[in-house]
Amino acid sequence: MMPRLGKKYQIEFNVTSKPNADYITDEYFELDLPVAPAVMVGDEIVVEGTDISEHELEIFICRHLGLPEPEQPKKGMLNRLLGK
């Protein structure tokens, strides 16, 4: 998802991946970073402790770049039938 959005908006992504134990140390909490999994756009914490949809992430990227927000993607046939 992120490489595709990076190409679309010409932005740089920085992905940090560590073992879960590294995120629950005193040293990590002293860095004042969000609880993993997390997504930050600029200095803003978008989500913390959960995942985010591609569309929601794209909205935050557009806001950060001062671009118009993307339209809501159309629901697929199965989601429309199930009312999701």
Side-chain angles (χ1 to χ4, degrees), residues 1 5 8 19 26 32 34 42-43 48 52 55 63 70 74-75 81 83:
M1 161 177 37
L5 290 175
K8 184 174 182 179
D26 290 337
D32 200 29
D43 292 332
E48 184 174 11
I52 187 171
H55 180 71
R63 287 179 188 165
K74 294 184 180 185
K75 291 184 176 183
L81 290 173

Side-chain angles (χ1 to χ4, degrees), residues 9-77:
Y9 294 105
Q10 297 300 308
I11 57 175
E12 181 181 324
F13 283 92
N14 182 10
V15 177
T16 303
S17 179
K18 299 178 181 185
N20 286 344
D22 288 358
Y23 292 109
I24 55 173
T25 63
D26 290 337
E27 292 81 18
Y28 181 80
F29 287 110
E30 288 175 9
L31 296 173
D32 200 29
L33 293 172
V35 176
V39 174
M40 294 179 70
V41 176
D43 292 332
E44 180 181 2
I45 298 171
V46 176
V47 294
E48 184 174 11
T50 187
D51 290 327
I52 187 171
S53 73
E54 183 172 340
H55 180 71
E56 290 173 310
L57 179 56
E58 192 170 0
I59 288 172
F60 280 96
I61 290 170
C62 289
R63 287 179 188 165
H64 179 74
L65 297 174
L67 300 172
E69 292 182 9
E71 292 183 21
Q72 180 70 28
K74 294 184 180 185
K75 291 184 176 183
M77 179 67 89

